[in-house]
Amino acid sequence: MHGKGWMSKFLRAIGVMSGTSLDGVDLALIETDGDEQLKRRDIVASYPYEAAFRADLRECLKLARSLTRRDERPRFIASVERQLTDLHAEALRRFMGSLTLQPFSVDVIGYHGQTIFHDPARYLTVQIGDGARLARELGVDVVHDMRAADIAAGGQGAPLAPAYHRALANPFEERPIAFLNIGGVSNITYIGRLETMMAFDTGPGNALIDDWVARHTGDAYDHDGGLAARGQVNERALQRLLDHPFFDVIPPKSLDRNHFSVAPVEGLSPADGAATLTAFTAQAVARGCENFLDPPELIVVTGGGRANATLLRFIRNAARCPIAPAEAFGLNGDTIEAEAWAYLAVRALNAKPLTYPMTTGVPEPLTGGVVSRAGAG
């Protein structure tokens, strides 16, 4: 799987990330050896999905609950996977076309696909998106299925970005430091004073809020947290949400987008429901921080949730740590996950670990990923 020619090379890599928010696909280009050498080029793009396709993805989430193998593709899911791959291929063509104006070629693509099911207890994670077809059509090597080896070895299969977060943390003086990614779910990477890492999903991110807002207002998400800001947190409903057994599990741990139910907030006004679900995400982050030996001196926030001012205010009050969006430090909070997938693709080609015992619970540091060569097949 790993040829000699890849070892220790400084490669130009594109990361392709479709998050659990189901809103679209992010692309980013970096140059790296997959270790400490990292050059962020700020060459990024985001392509939103149309509403009808987002609805198809939501249907896949429901159908995927009955899957028993990660390569199982019932007819509807297979059809959506073809559409998804076509959308991602077109996005990559447009993105790479823009690179012709600059002195770049692309060595490898790190391809996440779209997660439609994730349950480590069943040793099962399913990401749709045909990495082999992307490699054939685009003429670039593609590394994909990067969660599968970790799950098969008994790990959580998530989060996978901590190795990249550690590389991003190099210029920061603060230790301990944490990177909090708020997508459909929230995950946090903690880097201690001796560069030790700990990572896990803290709980919900944007997914419950987005679904609630879409159902009650028709908007895709709560713009700047405005709806939540007009509401009141229902403490009884919040406590019911926080009584979920997930919060009693010792990290590392991960969860699926649909792990939690909004039943406790049913019957609340749209604003009060949004406020309560926003508080739920914030309190889950604060509970996650209780697992750290020392509180972070800084929490850097990435992902779509960093644009929700109400959510950040709730997290700041609950976690009682300095917190700021990635942009405050010259980073792009929308595309760090895509950058991470590019970085992980190079690590995979160089047989370097993607996951660790304290990031996913895997027994020992483990590499992963399936490499599909350009033009193969």
Side-chain angles (χ1 to χ4, degrees):
M1 177 171 121
H2 308 285
K4 271 188 179 180
W6 293 110
M7 296 303 291
S8 301
K9 290 183 67 175
F10 198 67
L11 301 182
R12 296 184 181 114
I14 293 176
V16 184
M17 167 57 67
S18 297
T20 47
S21 294
L22 310 181
D23 48 2
V25 60
D26 298 321
L27 294 88
L29 184 142
I30 65 171
E31 295 178 89
T32 184
D33 64 350
D35 200 359
E36 293 189 3
Q37 295 186 64
L38 170 64
K39 188 178 293 185
R40 297 179 57 257
R41 285 292 184 176
D42 290 323
I43 300 175
V44 301
S46 296
Y47 301 96
Y49 296 145
E50 293 184 356
F53 187 67
R54 289 200 302 270
D56 286 344
L57 288 175
R58 291 181 188 279
E59 184 63 24
C60 285
L61 298 181
K62 299 176 185 176
L63 296 174
R65 296 171 189 168
S66 64
L67 298 180
T68 58
R69 304 189 319 272
R70 71 182 180 91
D71 61 349
E72 191 176 352
R73 297 292 186 270
R75 181 176 297 178
F76 182 81
I77 293 178
S79 174
V80 173
E81 181 175 48
R82 284 192 296 273
Q83 295 177 65
L84 182 84
T85 306
D86 289 343
L87 287 171
H88 290 174
E90 179 58 28
L92 279 159
R93 289 190 189 97
R94 291 170 62 185
F95 186 69
M96 290 191 291
S98 71
L99 301 181
T100 60
L101 302 176
Q102 309 194 38
F104 290 125
S105 59
V106 177
D107 296 302
V108 64
I109 293 169
Y111 186 47
H112 179 269
Q114 183 76 54
T115 298
I116 60 171
F117 186 78
H118 184 78
D119 186 359
R122 289 172 52 186
Y123 295 93
L124 183 62
T125 185
V126 182
Q127 287 78 43
I128 57 173
D130 191 336
R133 185 152 72 91
L134 274 186
R136 291 195 302 270
E137 292 192 4
L138 299 175
V140 180
D141 292 349
V142 174
V143 181
H144 51 104
D145 277 349
M146 285 192 250
R147 301 187 190 276
D150 185 87
I151 286 278
Q156 292 287 310
L160 260 67
Y164 184 60
H165 291 158
R166 183 170 58 185
L168 284 180
N170 284 336
F172 287 82
E173 295 181 357
E174 291 86 356
R175 290 294 186 278
I177 188 172
F179 285 79
L180 172 66
N181 176 59
I182 308 176
V185 301
S186 296
N187 58 71
I188 195 165
T189 300
Y190 176 89
I191 302 161
R193 291 187 175 88
L194 299 178
E195 301 303 304
T196 54
M197 281 195 306
M198 181 180 187
F200 53 92
D201 287 349
T202 62
N206 303 316
L208 296 181
I209 304 167
D210 291 350
D211 291 350
W212 176 266
V213 170
R215 178 151 59 99
H216 289 277
T217 73
D219 292 334
Y221 61 96
D222 188 7
H223 298 264
D224 201 31
L227 182 63
R230 296 193 295 273
Q232 296 291 324
V233 175
N234 185 296
E235 295 294 341
R236 178 180 294 183
L238 176 60
Q239 188 55 55
R240 286 181 59 196
L241 290 164
L242 290 168
D243 284 340
H244 194 285
F246 174 81
F247 299 108
D248 296 325
V249 177
I250 298 173
K253 56 184 177 179
S254 67
L255 47 82
D256 182 73
R257 183 189 190 280
N258 295 320
H259 203 86
F260 300 98
S261 168
V262 297
V265 298
E266 295 292 359
L268 298 182
S269 71
D272 288 354
T276 304
L277 292 172
T278 302
F280 181 32
T281 292
Q283 290 292 333
V285 171
R287 288 198 174 189
C289 289
E290 293 173 0
N291 291 281
F292 304 140
L293 182 62
D294 296 306
E297 293 183 2
L298 173 66
I299 299 178
V300 180
V301 188
T302 73
R306 81 194 188 289
N308 184 324
T310 303
L311 176 57
L312 289 194
R313 175 165 55 86
F314 282 9
I315 294 173
R316 188 175 291 110
N317 292 340
R320 299 181 180 179
C321 294
I323 178 172
E327 283 71 15
F329 310 102
L331 303 173
N332 187 328
D334 283 327
T335 57
I336 282 180
E337 291 288 295
E339 293 172 20
W341 240 251
Y343 182 81
L344 292 174
V346 178
R347 286 187 73 82
L349 290 174
N350 290 332
K352 294 180 181 294
L354 308 188
T355 57
Y356 301 83
M358 289 301 291
T359 65
T360 67
V362 73
E364 59 186 6
L366 184 68
T367 191
V370 175
V371 181
S372 291
R373 299 296 183 184

